[in-house]
């Protein structure tokens, strides 16, 4: 504050030193200052005094105080200033809000540049000159005093105020790329401020001006220091918040509560009653919930379409695509409704509450979709804003849909296996690092041993991935591309799956996205401390899956190729990045050191040094197509062609090279591996994150230029198609779909595993009653059946009575370690398999005193056949399968410290198809230091 201009005291006129000349100084521009007030008697003198002191030597100016109905003496103080200075009081008596007050004042201004500044002293008056200079120069139409650009700060605000401010700015992001659109401190051309009148409600006049300016509106942000008010009380409350939300709704070409919403609500209530009656009647006739709710929805939707077209949205334009858009919205509403029904059912709520929750949840989607899409208004938003809104809406839809369905869909066998990890918490496991186990342990500790508890970690990881990818893309190509990257993250198959299923890929993807963001900040934005963020993300990624280590060579390649970045190699920061990653990863290193480096060899040397040569590059390409889907493939191909100029070293600069290197280096490793070895579906998924900014920017360029209409159409169609497919898939997995059966449920998708375990438990109970002893349950595959038995048996202690085919010398991954200390001698064993040949081997009989036949059992889900399994009961287990039953009844068990690979030759009397199994078992026994008893070998009778 400048102290040589004093506020006017009450009750007397104080002479203020007059300037040496007129208020216009030389060629400087003229400016009108609008100062909105409402009960600011404690601040107004100080603020007007600062304005006068700062402007009188620079501009010809006027100050218009737009008062909204003060009753504390504010107006009297302003009037005293007007007797000596160009200060005018305009009383509005509270007839409108702040925005209306400012607009009324702007109509009375006489200069072409207008500055709006708060009267509470929070805005730095000295910054007025810079704002005015930016606009008066002719380069910009509006200059905003911004808290959120580099150099801007907020002083004195508590955390919750900062969070709310950031959140409010985020809500406005579909309509502007300005980082601080809610700032009340800005300079603007008078004509543009007056043009905002038709778009103004509430108190955010600056946002209204930004919206009214349109695509060609030139805006800049000037960093300021924003201070909390020292005196008086903030006027922002719930009414202002509601007005702001209403302002945003109007901008999105939605409707106000008193208009279309009321008509929609009337039609919707009629549809609700009809819907509820049909569903209830269908259930009374014996229909299951899936059939009943779909019939009710279809009938109600048909009636609603007529009501909306002729009444709710009768003032909207009609076109040929309206019915198709309504059908798309209806499917999205149906699947959201199914999610609410599934979630409410899992919570055990009464059926009327379940139905009401489903109808209301689907109705919300129906209203938003019909209002903004199916029956869209005549006055359309600019195409960029429409796509931003679509990206936000669809990403939010997918996120909510996943949360609703995650607790209603049976666990995949892999998820059940990782849940079993979480029951044996450790610093490492044979086939993966421990992060997935820690996430599941955390989720199930909070939400119990439920599907939702297992999967909530995947949703959190997806949100972290979305945050980092938005920031990463925004830094590289701007906010519009960031929104499009968010849309891709929601609809591309791999990333939809990682947000739905808890596997090591979920935390790996989040860590990969975070590492890319921090590496870009460190290398290209020249922020040294970001190297530490990159190191933390890579370390967390290494705790998730070892493939994130590929970012190391990618970083080195970029630092070597990019001349401006080579200097980092001579600093300590990249090495601190490596050290921080290693420290986070050190528990896994320690675990491997105490287990003969088993996990490193299993995932490393065992894969790379395998004797089997398999050319799988075509398979790798097919897997990439499956991971990216049609939209991802199209944009990836376009990105490859668009960035092909990087082959010219003269163009190897900056962000293009960064994105290319961090995409191509990991893909090159996977491609080279595929020349000699088999590959897996999910391997390349995270590697595409580095290409997301380019893919998004291509879409943005196509939208803005209008020259690549086929690209825009293809992205639009594939995006809608992907969301429809995923939403219907989730509905099918949880509730089913009409005329679609469960032909391959158990061996394919996660359907009826809980019903399978219930049937298996019935068999177990029957056998236990017959034998008088608790049987051992064995899944006759590597881990799938045993893991599902463990999870759905509903009791962690029951894991002691569940194992895998490792009991018979076959590979069982971690089940070999978990069951290494148990002694199943003499026990009754129930073997479960999804194929009859897994139980029909004649060699199984040699492991038991007596063994029953292979029996078949059909599994039903909602009274429909959903799959089948086979089981067989063995009595009197014995630890060998090489001799006759009678001989093994007399065998003596002797403990031995010799590794299994030395106790048995993998090729001795082993048929050729079993050679790989014995080799894997020998590897497991040796690397995990598992010592098993040996048996006296007898000739086969």
């Amino acid at each position: 504050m400048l102290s040589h201009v004093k506020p006017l005291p009450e009750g007397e006129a104080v002479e203020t030193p007059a300037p040496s000349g007129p208020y216009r100084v030389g060629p400087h521009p003229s400016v009108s200052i609008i100062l909105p007030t409402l009960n600011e008697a404690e601040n107004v003198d100080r603020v007007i005094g600062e304005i006068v002191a700062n402007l009188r030597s620079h501009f010809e100016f006027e100050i218009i105080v737009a008062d909204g109905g003060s009753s504390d003496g504010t107006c009297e103080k302003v009037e005293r200033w007007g007797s000596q200075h160009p200060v005018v009081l305009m009383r509005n008596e509270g007839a409108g809000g702040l925005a209306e007050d400012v607009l009324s004042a702007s109509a009375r201004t006489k200069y072409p540049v207008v500055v709006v500044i708060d009267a509470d002293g929070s805005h730095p008056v000295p910054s007025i000159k810079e704002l005015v200079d930016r606009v008066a120069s002719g380069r910009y139409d509006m200059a905003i005093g911004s808290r959120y650009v580099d150099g801007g700060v907020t002083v004195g605000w508590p955390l919750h105020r900062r969070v709310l401010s950031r959140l409010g700015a985020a809500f406005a992001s579909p309509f502007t790329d300005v980082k601080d659109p809610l700032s009340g401190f800005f300079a603007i051309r008078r004509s543009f401020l007056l043009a905002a009148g038709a778009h103004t409600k509430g108190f955010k006049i600056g946002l209204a001006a930004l919206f009214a300016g349109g695509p060609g509106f030139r805006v800049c942000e000037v960093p300021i220091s924003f201070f909390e008010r020292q005196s008086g009380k903030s006027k922002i409350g719930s009414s202002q918040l509601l007005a702001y939300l209403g302002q945003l709704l109007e901008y999105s070409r939605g409707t106000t509560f008193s208009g279309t919403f009321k008509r929609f609500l009337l039609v919707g209530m009629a549809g609700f009653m009809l819907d509820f009656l049909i569903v209830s009647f269908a259930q009374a006739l014996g229909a299951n919930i899936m059939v009943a709710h779909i019939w009710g929805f279809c009938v109600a939707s048909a009636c609603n379409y007529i009501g909306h077209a002729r009444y709710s949205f009768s003032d909207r334009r009609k076109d040929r695509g309206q019915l198709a858009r309504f059908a798309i919205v209806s499917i999205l509403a149906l699947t959201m409704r199914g999610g609410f029904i599934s979630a409410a059912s899992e919570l055990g709520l009464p059926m009327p509450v379940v139905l009401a929750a489903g109808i209301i949840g689907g109705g919300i989607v129906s209203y938003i979709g019909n209002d903004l899409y199916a029956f869209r208004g005549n006055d359309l938003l600019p195409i960029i804003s429409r796509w931003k809104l679509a990206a936000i809406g669809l990403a939010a839809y997918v996120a909510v849909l996943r949360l609703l369905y995650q607790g209603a869909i049976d666990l995949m066998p892999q998820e059940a296996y990782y849940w079993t990890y979480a029951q044996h918490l450790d610093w490492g496991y044979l086939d993966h690092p421990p992060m997935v186990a820690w996430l599941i342990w955390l989720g199930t500790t909070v939400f119990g041993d439920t599907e939702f508890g297992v999967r909530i970690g995947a949703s959190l990881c997806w949100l972290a991935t979305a945050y980092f990818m938005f920031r990463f893309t925004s830094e590289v190509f701007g906010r519009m591309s960031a929104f499009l990257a968010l849309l891709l993250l929601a609809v591309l198959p791999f990333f939809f799956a990682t947000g739905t299923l808890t596997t090591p890929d979920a935390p790996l993807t989040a860590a990969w996205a975070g590492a890319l963001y921090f590496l870009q900040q460190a290398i290209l934005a020249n922020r040294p401390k970001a190297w530490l963020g990159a190191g933390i993300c890579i370390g967390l990624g290494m705790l998730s899956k070892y493939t994130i280590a590929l970012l190391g060579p990618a970083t080195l390649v970029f630092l070597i190729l990019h001349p401006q970045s080579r200097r980092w190699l001579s600093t300590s920061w990249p090495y601190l990045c490596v050290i921080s990653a290693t420290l986070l990863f050190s528990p896994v290193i320690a675990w491997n050191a105490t287990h003969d480096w088993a996990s490193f060899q299993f995932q490393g040397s065992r894969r790379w040094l395998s004797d089997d040569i398999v050319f799988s590059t075509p398979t790798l390409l097919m897997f990439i197509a499956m991971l990216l889907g049609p939209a991802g493939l199209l944009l990836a191909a376009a990105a490859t062609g668009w960035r092909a100029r990087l082959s010219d070293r003269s163009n190897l600069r900056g962000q293009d090279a960064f994105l290319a290197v961090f995409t191509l280096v990991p893909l090159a490793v996977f491609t080279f591996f595929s020349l000699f070895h088999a590959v897996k579906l999910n391997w390349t998924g995270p590697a595409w994150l580095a290409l997301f900014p380019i893919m998004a920017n291509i879409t943005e360029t196509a939208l803005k230029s209008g020259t690549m209409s086929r690209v825009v159409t293809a992205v639009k169609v594939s995006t809608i198609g992907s969301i429809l497919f995923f939403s219907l898939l989730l509905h099918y997995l949880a509730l089913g779909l009409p005329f679609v059966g469960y032909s391959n449920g158990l061996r394919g998708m996660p359907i009826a595993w809980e019903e399978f375990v219930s049937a298996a438990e019935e068999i177990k109970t029957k056998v236990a009653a017959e034998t008088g002893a608790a049987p051992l349950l064995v899944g006759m595959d590597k881990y799938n059946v045993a893991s599902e038995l463990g999870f759905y048996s509903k009791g962690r202690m029951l894991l002691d009575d569940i194992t895998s085919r490792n009991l018979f010398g076959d590979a069982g991954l971690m089940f070999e370690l978990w069951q290494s200390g148990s002694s199943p001698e003499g026990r009754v064993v129930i073997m479960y398999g999804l194929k009859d040949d897994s139980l029909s081997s004649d060699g199984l009989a040699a492991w038991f005193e007596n063994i029953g036949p292979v029996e078949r059992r059909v599994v039903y889900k909602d009274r429909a056949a959903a799959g089948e399994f086979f089981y067989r009961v063995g009595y009197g287990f014995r630890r060998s399968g090489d001799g006759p039953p009678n001989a093994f009844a007399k065998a003596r068990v002797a403990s031995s410290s010799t590794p299994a690979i030395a106790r048995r030759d993998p090729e001795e009397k082993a048929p050729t198809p079993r050679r790989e199994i014995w080799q894997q078992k020998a590897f497991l026994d040796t690397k995990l230091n598992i010592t098993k008893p040996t048996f006296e070998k007898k000739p086969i009778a």
Side-chain angles (χ1 to χ4, degrees):
M1 185 194 310
L2 298 178
S3 60
H4 62 277
V5 175
K6 300 179 180 180
L8 292 173
E10 296 185 29
E12 62 179 281
V14 175
E15 294 186 3
T16 305
S20 57
Y23 284 102
R24 177 187 295 275
V25 179
H28 292 297
S30 304
V31 60
S32 296
I33 310 294
I34 297 178
L35 195 69
T37 58
L38 178 60
N39 294 327
E40 294 289 357
E42 297 173 286
N43 300 306
V44 70
D45 278 337
R46 182 177 68 255
V47 174
I48 293 178
E50 286 192 67
I51 294 173
V52 171
N54 277 272
L55 297 190
R56 65 185 179 184
S57 60
H58 298 289
F59 307 114
E60 182 175 354
F61 69 92
E62 64 174 347
I63 301 174
I64 300 178
V65 177
D67 188 76
S70 297
S71 58
D72 65 342
T74 299
C75 296
E76 290 75 12
K77 291 189 175 186
V78 173
E79 288 174 340
R80 284 194 291 273
W81 277 98
S83 63
Q84 298 291 328
H85 301 282
V87 178
V88 177
L89 174 67
M90 190 181 74
R91 296 175 183 264
N92 294 304
E93 302 301 335
L98 181 146
E100 289 88 341
D101 292 345
V102 172
L103 280 174
S104 297
S106 65
R108 296 181 55 179
T109 57
K110 58 183 178 181
Y111 298 127
V113 177
V114 177
V115 171
V116 179
I117 183 171
D118 286 353
D120 58 8
S122 58
H123 295 144
V125 172
S127 296
I128 291 177
K129 182 180 183 304
E130 184 174 1
L131 295 178
V132 173
D133 286 343
R134 297 288 184 97
V135 176
S137 68
R139 293 177 297 167
Y140 301 102
D141 302 310
M142 184 178 185
I144 298 174
S146 177
R147 298 161 286 184
Y148 302 136
V149 294
D150 289 343
V153 294
T154 301
V155 180
W157 264 17
L159 178 61
H160 74 278
R161 291 282 302 273
R162 295 173 185 265
V163 172
L164 289 175
S165 178
R166 288 283 192 175
L167 192 60
F171 285 162
S173 56
F175 311 106
T176 177
D177 288 334
V178 170
K179 293 184 177 180
D180 193 1
L182 306 187
S183 174
F185 182 34
F186 57 87
I188 187 172
R189 295 187 184 280
R190 179 176 181 270
S191 57
F192 284 107
L193 184 58
L194 291 174
H199 305 278
T200 304
K201 288 188 179 181
F203 65 106
K204 293 304 177 184
I205 180 64
L207 177 61
L210 288 169
F211 181 81
F217 194 52
R218 300 169 300 170
V219 185
C220 68
E221 295 186 77
V222 176
I224 64 169
S225 296
F226 180 90
F227 297 90
E228 174 65 300
R229 63 163 57 236
Q230 298 179 2
S231 303
K233 184 178 179 181
S234 174
K235 311 305 185 298
I236 298 177
S238 58
S239 60
Q240 285 77 16
L241 176 61
L242 290 175
Y244 173 58
L245 295 178
Q247 188 177 5
L248 295 180
L249 184 61
E250 182 180 345
Y251 292 167
S252 62
R253 290 300 189 266
T255 56
T256 61
F257 183 83
S258 60
T260 302
F261 181 78
K262 287 185 177 180
R263 299 196 297 269
F264 181 94
L265 194 60
L266 289 174
V267 174
M269 287 299 296
F272 176 91
M273 298 301 297
L274 177 64
D275 195 346
F276 193 89
L277 290 174
I278 292 174
V279 175
S280 300
F281 183 70
Q283 285 196 297
L285 294 178
N288 63 28
I289 185 63
M290 180 268 291
V291 173
H293 107 87
I294 290 180
W295 270 112
F297 179 85
C298 290
V299 174
S301 294
C303 296
N304 284 346
Y305 177 75
I306 298 174
H308 292 327
R310 297 185 177 181
Y311 179 63
S312 301
F313 304 107
S314 57
D315 56 339
R316 304 284 179 88
R317 66 186 176 95
K318 310 276 190 306
D319 58 62
R320 289 180 297 177
Q322 190 176 82
L323 182 59
R325 295 195 300 272
F326 179 81
I328 292 171
V329 171
S330 297
I331 294 174
L332 296 180
L334 172 69
T335 51
M336 181 65 76
R337 163 188 171 125
F340 275 98
I341 290 174
S342 300
S345 299
E346 288 295 316
L347 293 174
L349 299 177
M351 185 53 64
V353 178
V354 170
L355 295 179
I359 295 173
I360 294 172
I364 294 172
V365 173
S366 179
Y367 171 65
I368 296 173
N370 285 320
D371 193 16
L372 302 182
Y373 180 60
F375 298 93
R376 55 196 180 198
N378 298 323
D379 188 13
L380 292 177
L381 280 169
I383 189 170
I384 298 300
S385 293
R386 295 206 306 270
W387 275 77
K388 283 183 180 180
L389 284 171
I392 295 171
L394 293 176
Y397 174 86
V398 169
V400 173
L401 196 73
R402 278 196 301 244
L403 281 175
L404 291 173
Y405 279 108
Q406 278 178 324
I409 298 174
D410 291 353
L411 292 189
M412 295 282 288
Q414 294 90 336
E415 294 178 287
Y417 178 53
Y418 299 133
W419 172 85
T420 311
Y421 269 22
Q423 315 318 305
H424 304 86
L425 282 181
D426 207 339
W427 292 108
Y429 301 91
L430 171 71
D431 38 344
H432 285 295
M435 180 63 77
V436 66
W438 299 348
L439 282 176
I440 292 175
W441 176 86
L442 181 61
T444 53
T445 298
V446 176
F447 297 103
D449 287 317
T450 61
E451 292 89 346
F452 186 83
V454 171
R455 289 178 172 142
I456 184 62
S459 291
L460 296 177
C461 288
W462 187 89
L463 290 175
T465 305
Y467 171 79
F468 283 120
M469 284 309 301
F470 187 90
R471 294 289 301 274
F472 176 46
T473 307
S474 182
E475 290 289 335
V476 176
F477 288 120
R479 297 285 287 275
M480 177 59 192
S481 291
F483 281 108
L484 294 173
L486 187 65
L487 179 62
L488 294 175
L489 197 68
V491 302
L492 297 192
F494 174 80
F495 302 98
F496 178 86
T498 56
T500 307
L501 308 175
T502 298
T503 68
D505 288 309
L508 170 71
T509 305
W512 199 299
L516 287 174
Y517 168 71
F518 284 114
L519 287 170
Q520 185 273 337
Q521 288 290 288
I523 300 173
L524 298 182
N526 195 30
R527 294 176 178 170
K529 292 182 180 179
W531 281 105
L532 298 179
I536 292 172
C537 288
I538 293 173
L540 294 174
M542 290 291 289
L543 291 173
S544 307
K545 209 169 180 180
Y546 301 142
T547 48
I548 199 171
L550 295 175
L551 290 180
T555 303
L556 183 61
V557 168
F558 180 76
L559 293 180
I560 293 173
L561 292 179
H562 190 235
Q564 291 81 4
S565 299
R566 290 174 194 159
R567 63 181 182 83
W568 287 111
L569 293 173
S570 60
T571 70
S572 61
W573 289 106
Y575 310 101
L576 290 174
C577 172
V578 174
I579 291 172
S580 59
T582 304
L583 288 175
L584 280 172
F585 184 58
S586 59
V588 178
I589 299 174
W591 184 91
N592 273 272
T594 58
H595 291 81
D596 202 15
W597 311 106
S599 182
F600 291 164
Q601 293 193 52
F602 186 86
Q603 295 288 1
S605 59
R606 178 174 169 268
R607 294 187 188 277
W608 283 92
L609 303 179
S610 172
D611 293 334
D612 297 330
I613 303 298
V614 178
F615 177 68
S616 60
T617 304
T619 304
L620 177 68
L621 296 176
M622 180 185 68
F623 286 165
I624 289 173
M626 294 171 64
L627 293 178
L628 295 180
L633 276 179
L634 171 69
L635 292 174
T640 302
W642 194 25
R643 303 303 183 187
R645 68 176 188 271
L646 291 179
S647 58
D648 180 1
R649 287 186 58 86
S650 63
N651 289 324
L652 199 58
R653 296 290 185 271
Q655 62 193 26
D656 288 348
F658 182 91
L659 300 175
V661 167
F662 280 88
T663 302
L664 294 177
V665 169
L667 290 179
V669 174
F670 292 129
T671 303
F672 178 78
F673 183 88
S674 72
L675 297 175
F676 308 100
H677 308 286
V679 295
K680 291 190 176 182
L681 171 65
N682 57 329
W683 281 1
T684 66
W688 297 102
L689 287 172
L691 203 63
F692 264 43
I694 300 178
M695 295 161 68
N697 190 244
I698 289 173
T699 307
E700 179 184 0
T701 302
L703 289 170
K704 289 181 176 179
S705 66
T707 58
M708 295 186 284
S709 58
R710 292 183 179 180
V711 172
V712 174
T713 302
V715 172
K716 184 187 300 183
V717 171
S718 58
T719 296
I720 294 174
S722 296
I723 290 184
L724 291 177
F725 173 78
F726 291 136
S727 61
L728 289 171
L729 175 63
L730 292 177
H731 191 286
Y732 168 70
L733 295 176
L735 297 173
L737 287 173
F739 314 113
V740 181
Y742 302 113
S743 60
N744 194 27
L746 291 179
R747 291 172 54 191
M749 291 180 284
I751 294 174
W753 278 110
E754 186 170 7
E755 288 78 3
F756 155 70
V757 174
S758 295
E761 287 286 301
E762 291 179 9
I763 297 167
K764 171 189 172 183
T765 302
K766 179 181 177 182
V767 171
E770 292 174 350
T771 62
L776 178 66
L777 309 185
V778 177
M780 296 302 289
D781 57 13
K782 191 177 295 185
Y783 62 82
N784 293 353
V785 173
S787 300
E788 297 284 3
L789 285 169
F791 181 78
Y792 285 110
S793 291
K794 301 300 181 185
R796 297 185 179 184
M797 298 304 296
L798 293 178
L799 287 173
D800 294 337
D801 290 330
I802 297 172
T803 191
S804 184
R805 67 186 185 186
N806 58 283
L807 187 70
F808 305 110
D810 287 343
L813 296 181
M814 286 302 298
F815 280 100
E816 295 207 27
L817 177 61
W818 296 330
Q819 295 293 331
S820 62
S822 61
S823 177
E825 295 297 320
R827 293 190 65 176
V828 177
V829 177
I830 307 177
M831 296 155 280
Y832 300 96
L834 302 182
K835 299 179 181 179
D836 58 351
D837 58 5
S838 65
L839 299 168
S840 59
S841 171
D842 294 335
L844 279 178
W847 293 85
F848 299 96
E849 293 284 351
N850 188 21
I851 192 169
V854 177
E855 299 191 51
R856 175 178 175 268
R857 182 81 173 260
V858 177
V859 178
Y860 292 90
K861 182 180 178 69
D862 295 329
R863 291 175 288 182
E868 63 180 8
F869 69 94
F870 302 87
Y871 69 95
R872 194 175 189 183
V873 183
Y875 305 89
F877 177 79
R878 299 170 303 192
R879 277 195 178 274
S880 181
D882 291 329
N886 292 337
F888 282 103
K890 303 176 181 178
R892 291 185 301 120
V893 178
S895 59
S896 169
S897 60
T898 308
I901 193 170
R903 286 189 273 111
R904 174 165 185 158
D905 185 341
E907 299 190 14
E908 182 181 348
K909 296 183 180 179
T912 301
R914 295 178 59 85
R915 180 176 304 169
E916 182 181 350
I917 295 175
W918 280 111
Q919 288 174 341
Q920 183 177 359
K921 173 173 173 53
F923 169 81
L924 289 168
D925 287 349
T926 302
K927 299 309 176 187
L928 295 177
N929 294 327
I930 297 175
T931 302
K932 301 251 179 118
T934 58
F935 299 90
E936 179 182 351
K937 298 187 67 67
K938 303 288 185 179
I940 297 178

